[in-house]
C-alpha cells in the first residue's frame, strides 16, 4: 500500500515535467476561384501561416465566398503557443513569397 501511494505521487508530480506541448503550422494559399470561362491560372493569391487547417480557417477568419483556401505545407512546432509567440520556422526551408510563387 505504501509503495502504491509512493508510485502514484511519483507519477502525479513527474507527469507535468515530462509532458511537452506541440502544435502544427499550416501554410494556406487563399486565392480567387477561377470561373468556368476564365483561365485556370491564379491571378492573385496570398499565403498565410496559421495553426488552423483550411476548413477551420474559413470558419474563424473572414474569407470571401469566391475565394478558396488550399493547403500548401505543414510542419510541427514544439512548445507553447501562448503569449503571441511567432510560429517556429519551416524546417524544410523558407516558404515562397507571394511575389515569386513556386512553379
Amino acid at each position: 500500500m505504501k509503495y502504491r501511494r509512493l508510485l502514484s505521487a511519483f507519477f502525479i508530480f513527474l507527469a507535468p515535467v515530462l509532458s511537452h506541448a506541440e502544435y502544427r503550422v499550416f501554410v494556406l494559399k487563399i486565392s480567387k476561384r477561377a470561373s468556368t470561362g476564365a483561365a485556370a491560372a491564379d491571378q492573385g493569391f496570398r499565403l498565410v501561416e496559421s495553426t488552423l487547417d483550411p476548413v477551420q480557417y474559413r470558419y474563424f477568419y473572414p474569407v470571401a465566398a469566391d475565394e478558396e483556401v488550399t493547403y500548401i505545407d505543414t510542419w510541427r512546432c514544439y512548445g507553447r503557443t501562448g503569449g503571441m509567440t511567432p510560429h517556429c520556422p519551416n524546417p524544410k526551408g523558407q516558404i515562397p513569397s507571394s511575389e515569386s510563387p513556386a512553379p
Side-chain angles (χ1 to χ4, degrees):
M1 184 72 167
K2 191 178 204 178
Y3 294 112
R4 187 178 215 173
R5 285 186 182 176
L6 181 63
L7 189 60
S8 296
F10 178 74
F11 283 117
I12 288 172
F13 292 112
L14 188 63
V17 174
L18 294 177
S19 64
H20 299 283
E22 64 182 43
Y23 60 97
R24 186 159 289 282
V25 176
F26 294 91
V27 176
L28 304 174
K29 178 181 177 182
I30 302 173
S31 60
K32 296 277 187 194
R33 285 193 183 114
S35 61
T36 56
D42 290 332
Q43 295 297 325
F45 66 90
R46 64 185 188 273
L47 295 177
V48 177
E49 280 188 9
S50 175
T51 57
L52 302 173
D53 65 34
V55 175
Q56 294 171 337
Y57 189 87
R58 179 172 284 283
Y59 288 110
F60 195 75
Y61 291 104
V63 177
D66 65 339
E67 290 182 326
E68 61 182 5
V69 181
T70 309
Y71 159 83
I72 300 293
D73 196 8
T74 187
W75 63 92
R76 188 179 347 194
C77 297
Y78 298 99
R80 295 179 51 115
T81 59
M84 301 299 287
T85 57
H87 300 130
C88 67
N90 188 345
K92 300 173 207 166
Q94 297 296 323
I95 61 170
S97 66
S98 298
E99 294 80 31
S100 60

